[in-house]
Amino acid sequence: MRQNKNKKEPAAAPRDHWRSGNMLYPVPAVMVSCARPGERPNIITVAWAGTVCSSPAMVSISVRPERYSYDIIRETGEFVINLTTEQLAFATDFCGVRSGRDVDKFERLHLTPGPAVHVGAPIIEESPVNIECRVTQVLELGSHHMFVAEVLGVDVDSRYLDERGKLLLKDARLMVYSHGEYFGLGKNLGKFGYSVQKRR
């Protein structure tokens, strides 16, 4: 197909230049559950969570030291990352703006604390995937301290498994956080490696 050499490309839009800041969006909005032995469990919403390593499986969460859950996680060395869904949007936001010092979040939000296999912190049974973690390192970085943790096990809601045991996570309608707002993931644009996959 011949290209029109006289056709002008649209001019690039001008760019605004801002000071340095955290603009890596979207990010997973996860609910992290934790508990001291003999005390009521708590939930904190964390937007700064991510994968650190695949072998061994490791993750990280970053928490402000003044948050109620910070001391619990620091003392116990354990927590559970609970993935969030569109149905859990209200609970996810609530757990990020209310303190466990003042309210029992499990009771207030009608969430179910379930037993974890490897840690003392409970899982949130309404979450499709629960990632049980043990802290291996705490990095005191500034406004937030990063808990680097080994993944000890993953609990999966069997409703999202097909007959072969494959996890159909897209059916859970997961949620993300982007620049102060929550969003569903939207439509599937392709699978990993599709750009180099041979067409039949």
Side-chain angles (χ1 to χ4, degrees), residues 153-170:
V154 178
D155 307 281
V156 178
D157 189 328
S158 60
R159 290 177 297 176
Y160 300 108
L161 300 177
D162 66 11
E163 62 279 359
R164 295 174 297 174
K166 179 182 178 180
L167 177 60
L168 305 177
L169 203 50
K170 63 180 180 3

Side-chain angles (χ1 to χ4, degrees), residues 74-139:
R74 186 110 194 200
E75 291 170 18
T76 63
E78 298 177 340
F79 60 88
V80 178
I81 295 176
N82 304 273
L83 299 192
T84 58
T85 64
E86 293 176 15
Q87 190 173 1
L88 289 170
F90 180 90
T92 302
D93 185 68
F94 185 93
C95 289
V97 297
R98 294 295 301 271
S99 174
R101 295 185 182 94
D102 308 319
V103 61
D104 183 335
K105 297 178 186 178
F106 275 100
E107 181 179 288
R108 178 72 174 270
L109 297 167
H110 307 290
L111 295 175
T112 309
V117 177
H118 302 282
V119 298
I123 68 170
I124 300 174
E125 292 194 354
E126 287 75 13
S127 169
V129 175
N130 323 96
I131 305 168
E132 301 183 30
C133 305
R134 179 170 55 215
V135 176
T136 61
Q137 189 177 5
V138 183
L139 302 177

Side-chain angles (χ1 to χ4, degrees), residues 1-199:
M1 181 177 177
R2 295 180 61 184
Q3 293 183 346
N4 185 351
K5 295 182 179 180
N6 296 322
K7 185 178 180 181
K8 293 183 178 180
E9 293 295 327
R15 311 290 296 180
D16 268 359
H17 296 283
W18 295 358
R19 64 177 176 83
S20 63
N22 299 98
M23 288 295 294
L24 183 61
Y25 293 119
V27 292
V30 298
M31 292 194 290
V32 174
S33 47
C34 55
R36 290 188 183 95
E39 295 185 7
R40 74 183 185 199
N42 190 51
I43 307 167
I44 180 175
T45 296
V46 173
W48 294 353
T51 297
V52 173
C53 185
S54 58
S55 182
M58 299 185 73
V59 295
S60 71
I61 61 171
S62 293
V63 182
R64 289 182 180 272
E66 59 266 28
R67 296 297 299 267
Y68 176 65
S69 294
Y70 175 89
D71 287 336
I72 299 174
I73 296 171
R74 186 110 194 200
E75 291 170 18
T76 63
E78 298 177 340
F79 60 88
V80 178
I81 295 176
N82 304 273
L83 299 192
T84 58
T85 64
E86 293 176 15
Q87 190 173 1
L88 289 170
F90 180 90
T92 302
D93 185 68
F94 185 93
C95 289
V97 297
R98 294 295 301 271
S99 174
R101 295 185 182 94
D102 308 319
V103 61
D104 183 335
K105 297 178 186 178
F106 275 100
E107 181 179 288
R108 178 72 174 270
L109 297 167
H110 307 290
L111 295 175
T112 309
V117 177
H118 302 282
V119 298
I123 68 170
I124 300 174
E125 292 194 354
E126 287 75 13
S127 169
V129 175
N130 323 96
I131 305 168
E132 301 183 30
C133 305
R134 179 170 55 215
V135 176
T136 61
Q137 189 177 5
V138 183
L139 302 177
E140 299 183 2
L141 301 174
S143 64
H144 290 67
H145 292 183
M146 177 185 286
F147 292 97
V148 180
E150 180 184 1
V151 175
L152 302 180
V154 178
D155 307 281
V156 178
D157 189 328
S158 60
R159 290 177 297 176
Y160 300 108
L161 300 177
D162 66 11
E163 62 279 359
R164 295 174 297 174
K166 179 182 178 180
L167 177 60
L168 305 177
L169 203 50
K170 63 180 180 3
D171 294 343
R173 302 179 67 87
L174 296 178
M175 183 183 71
V176 296
Y177 177 81
S178 182
H179 198 45
E181 298 179 299
Y182 304 99
F183 295 91
L185 288 183
K187 68 178 181 179
N188 186 335
L189 302 177
K191 66 178 182 179
F192 176 74
Y194 85 99
S195 62
V196 294
Q197 189 175 21
K198 291 183 178 180
R199 296 182 180 180

